[in-house]
Amino acid sequence: MYVMDVTEFHLNFGKAGKTGSVADSGANQFTAGVNYNLSKRTKVYGFYTRVADGDAGLYNGDFRSLAMGIRHNF
C-alpha cells in the first residue's frame, strides 16, 4: 500500500502452490486498487482483479473483475 494524502494505492499478487490435497495449479492472482478517504470513517474504492488459472482449471478458468463502491464504518 502507498498513501498519498487522502488516497491509498494497493497492489497485491498471489500464486497458488501445493497445499494439502490441491496440486500446484500455477494459478496467479493480481489485484490493483485505490481508496479515496472522504472522511475519517468513509471512503470510496475501486479495484481490478485478474486470475490466470494456468493449465489445471481448478478455479473455474481465467477471469477478471472490476468493482467500485463506498464503505462507511459505523
Side-chain angles (χ1 to χ4, degrees):
M1 179 175 75
Y2 177 76
V3 178
M4 186 182 347
D5 197 23
V6 296
T7 307
E8 303 167 356
F9 299 95
H10 298 264
L11 287 176
N12 301 295
F13 177 79
K15 180 169 180 62
K18 191 171 186 176
T19 58
S21 63
V22 177
D24 183 4
S25 69
N28 297 315
Q29 178 178 346
F30 169 77
T31 301
V34 62
N35 294 327
Y36 183 81
N37 296 300
L38 298 172
S39 69
K40 187 175 181 179
R41 300 184 322 167
T42 305
K43 63 176 70 175
V44 292
Y45 66 88
F47 65 86
Y48 169 80
T49 298
R50 179 178 181 271
V51 174
D53 200 5
D55 295 330
L58 295 174
Y59 307 104
N60 298 322
D62 295 349
F63 68 91
R64 295 173 176 86
S65 69
L66 181 64
M68 294 184 291
I70 188 167
R71 185 177 306 144
H72 180 77
N73 295 319
F74 293 94

